[in-house]
Amino acid sequence: MRILLVEDDRMIGEAVSVALRDAAYAVDWVQDGMVAGTVLERGEHQAVLLDLGLPKRNGLEVLRRLRLAGNRIPVIVITASDGVDDRIKGLDFGADDYLVKPFDVNELLARLRAVIRRQGGQAANVLSSGNVSLDPATRRARYEDSEALLSAREFALLHALLLHPGAILTRAQLEEHIYGWNEEVESNAVDFLIHGIRRKLGANVINNVRGAGWMIKNTS
């Protein structure tokens, strides 16, 4: 799961980036609204954490343009302003949730999991398809009679596949979910992670489509 963090406060940006990586997200961090607008046009991310008080283009304008372009990516507004009018504007402009600074990082992560679930049409807190399930809050996965705690990157890979059951994801698509901009993509990382997940849960938990990529069967 790849997150775009738009925050001009360096201390907050660094702290949130570390927390997101520790929670198994790939995170890209930009510090002004103009850059954020350009990056969001690429469609590389699955959710946005958006400050309002940004240089060059404020967060509300970034959000307004995003929704006018038809982009439905989940957006959580994070801001120092706790005024009701600002919250109403943010929600009316299309924000999915709102968090006032200072905030607890665990609350931010919980709200992020919630908006991502809703975007994927999932009400439950556990992602599942058939005999495969994954709890984003604990990083524990189940397949048939096996249960295991996944590493951060194993979790990121399985999470990406479970968000799109039945779809074949290529190596490049999986790498996009696992790595941020400034992280070096390790050689054969996808193969190594899939091997680790299969070793923990079973050989058939992830299906290889030769020459195309990997998938989890859609049994709905």
Side-chain angles (χ1 to χ4, degrees):
M1 181 60 63
R2 196 166 178 181
I3 309 300
L4 180 65
L5 171 63
V6 190
E7 171 60 68
D8 66 323
D9 185 300
R10 181 166 294 278
M11 185 178 296
I12 294 174
E14 289 176 351
V16 173
S17 294
V18 169
L20 289 171
R21 293 191 183 100
D22 287 347
Y25 294 101
V27 56
D28 301 317
W29 174 25
V30 299
Q31 299 182 52
D32 72 66
M34 291 287 287
V35 173
T38 300
V39 170
L40 286 166
E41 291 176 358
R42 303 176 193 165
E44 297 175 344
H45 300 88
Q46 285 72 54
V48 184
L49 302 176
L50 178 66
D51 185 26
L52 293 187
L54 298 168
K56 299 186 180 179
R57 180 182 295 166
N58 69 51
L60 284 177
E61 182 62 13
V62 172
L63 180 58
R64 187 185 72 85
R65 294 186 181 210
L66 184 70
R67 296 312 190 211
L68 283 176
N71 192 326
R72 299 177 60 190
I73 186 172
V75 176
I76 297 178
V77 167
I78 50 175
T79 181
S81 174
D82 61 355
V84 174
D85 289 344
D86 285 339
R87 275 181 279 174
I88 290 171
K89 281 182 182 178
L91 294 169
D92 283 345
F93 277 29
D96 295 271
D97 205 347
Y98 204 104
L99 200 56
V100 176
K101 303 173 188 175
F103 50 81
D104 185 274
V105 168
N106 290 323
E107 181 181 1
L108 172 63
L109 294 173
R111 289 175 181 268
L112 185 57
R113 291 192 295 268
V115 299
I116 290 169
R117 283 201 309 270
R118 292 198 295 268
Q119 178 73 0
Q122 300 249 359
N125 62 342
V126 176
L127 290 171
S128 64
S129 181
N131 293 331
V132 186
S133 64
L134 180 66
D135 186 343
T138 63
R139 296 212 310 256
R140 297 199 70 84
R142 290 184 61 89
Y143 176 63
E144 295 182 341
D145 296 327
S146 299
E147 181 177 347
L149 176 66
L150 302 185
S151 72
R153 285 183 172 162
E154 288 171 346
F155 166 83
L157 189 147
L158 188 60
H159 191 271
L161 291 170
L162 277 171
L163 284 176
H164 309 282
I168 300 169
L169 298 190
T170 66
R171 181 182 303 276
Q173 287 172 321
L174 289 171
E175 288 173 347
E176 284 184 2
H177 282 79
I178 297 168
Y179 294 97
W181 289 331
N182 299 321
E183 295 180 280
E184 182 180 353
V185 178
E186 301 170 32
S187 176
N188 297 322
V190 169
D191 306 83
F192 178 78
L193 293 171
I194 289 174
H195 173 75
I197 295 169
R198 286 172 170 166
R199 180 173 51 81
K200 291 178 178 180
L201 296 175
N204 297 319
V205 61
I206 296 173
N207 295 274
N208 174 238
V209 182
R210 188 175 297 276
W214 295 267
M215 63 177 287
I216 285 182
K217 291 180 180 178
N218 187 355
T219 59
S220 60

